[in-house]
Amino acid sequence: HVQLVESGGGSVQAGGSLKLTCAVSGHTNTVAWFRQAPGAEREGVAALYQPYAEEFYADSVKGRFTVSLANAKNPVYLQMNSLKPEDTAIYYCAAVRRPALPDWSFLGRYTYWGQGTQVTVS
């Protein structure tokens, strides 16, 4: 059984940084970060294809966010720099035991989800 737990959210001023952590238990193949702002649909932010550490990013966060793995491939991180008010959302970690490629940002690709962590940028 795969379990995901996000942490590291909080409130920051525009231009600041946060580092989110996704603690993973069980085997996963692809791990992704999604976010959902109030009144909006959930959208893909970044993903990591674990066997080869291949990274994917939404256009809105390229150059600002970075997804990475610890040496033991657990936990998974999302480093968020140059944060904007538009980044305010609940951030979720998602995973699947099979490759979620292509279409990594499609919600239906993911089997396991964390509880979410709130990020507020003002």
Side-chain angles (χ1 to χ4, degrees), residues 30-32 34 47 94-96 100 104-113:
T30 305
V31 178
F34 286 77
V96 66
W104 65 268
S105 62
F106 179 52
L107 285 169
R109 292 283 186 177
Y110 298 91
T111 305
Y112 305 99
W113 293 84

Side-chain angles (χ1 to χ4, degrees), residues 14-96:
S17 298
L18 284 173
K19 187 175 184 178
L20 305 184
T21 298
C22 177
V24 180
S25 63
H27 171 74
T28 59
N29 180 272
T30 305
V31 178
W33 290 93
F34 286 77
R35 67 185 182 187
Q36 187 165 21
E41 65 182 25
R42 194 169 298 185
E43 63 176 346
V45 176
L48 189 67
Y49 178 55
Q50 294 174 264
Y52 299 104
E54 188 173 6
E55 302 168 35
F56 305 89
Y57 298 96
D59 289 342
S60 60
V61 305
K62 285 182 179 177
R64 299 190 298 121
F65 291 10
T66 303
V67 63
S68 63
L69 289 168
N71 289 340
K73 301 186 183 297
N74 180 40
V76 180
Y77 300 110
L78 183 68
Q79 178 66 50
M80 306 186 296
N81 298 323
S82 301
L83 284 163
K84 305 174 181 179
E86 304 92 273
D87 296 317
T88 295
I90 299 174
Y91 283 71
Y92 298 90
C93 183
V96 66

